[in-house]
């Protein structure tokens, strides 16, 4: 559970690092890059411990799959709340297929 929590926090920072500036076109690109690097440093400070702790329980493949599903989940909330975008049916269907991939990744045998 600690791994999932750290990954969720980590991905929240990374999502902001990658997309916060979309609403601030007036900012100079070099400023956006520096601010995003600062946010990404926080992300790495959580991602590294998450992976180190998680690797004692999960395989590398499983960690990556968990990270991707957490990343997409965080982005969905970000897109809905911060960017105020509406999801289309094809995005929802795509997300369902990703969840299906998670099922197969963790399936025994």
């Amino acid at each position: 559970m600690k791994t999932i929590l750290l990954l969720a926090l980590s991905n929240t920072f990374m999502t902001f690092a990658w997309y916060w500036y979309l609403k601030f076109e007036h900012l100079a690109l070099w400023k956006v890059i520096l601010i995003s690097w600062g946010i990404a440093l926080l992300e790495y400070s959580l991602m590294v411990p998450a992976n180190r702790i998680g690797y004692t329980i999960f395989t590398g493949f499983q960690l990556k799959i968990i990270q991707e599903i957490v990343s997409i989940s965080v982005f969905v909330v970000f897109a809905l709340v911060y960017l105020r975008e509406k999801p289309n049916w094809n995005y929802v269907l795509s997300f369902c297929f990703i969840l299906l991939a998670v099922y197969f990744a963790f399936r025994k045998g």
Side-chain angles (χ1 to χ4, degrees):
M1 194 63 186
K2 188 184 271 188
T3 297
I4 306 297
L5 178 62
L6 287 171
L7 286 174
L9 291 171
S10 162
N11 277 283
T12 300
F13 282 112
M14 201 53 165
T15 298
F16 272 97
W18 285 353
Y19 300 105
W20 70 271
Y21 53 84
L22 295 178
K23 290 190 168 189
F24 298 95
E25 293 179 14
H26 64 281
L27 286 178
L29 187 58
W30 69 269
K31 289 180 183 177
V32 168
I33 291 170
L34 288 178
I35 293 167
S36 290
W37 276 359
I39 297 169
L41 178 61
L42 296 170
E43 184 268 344
Y44 271 68
S45 298
L46 296 167
M47 179 66 76
V48 171
N51 284 325
R52 182 171 276 188
I53 294 165
Y55 196 60
T56 64
I57 302 165
F58 304 108
T59 67
F61 287 111
Q62 289 173 328
L63 275 173
K64 183 59 182 172
I65 291 164
I66 292 168
Q67 189 277 329
E68 291 302 329
I69 197 70
V70 168
S71 177
I72 290 169
S73 299
V74 166
F75 182 80
V76 166
V77 173
F78 180 85
L80 293 172
V81 175
Y82 183 78
L83 298 176
R84 299 191 191 275
E85 294 184 0
K86 303 279 189 240
N88 296 329
W89 69 268
N90 56 322
Y91 301 148
V92 174
L93 183 60
S94 299
F95 192 67
C96 290
F97 281 123
I98 292 168
L99 289 174
L100 190 60
V102 172
Y103 166 76
F104 282 110
F106 287 89
R107 187 170 174 246
K108 302 281 187 219

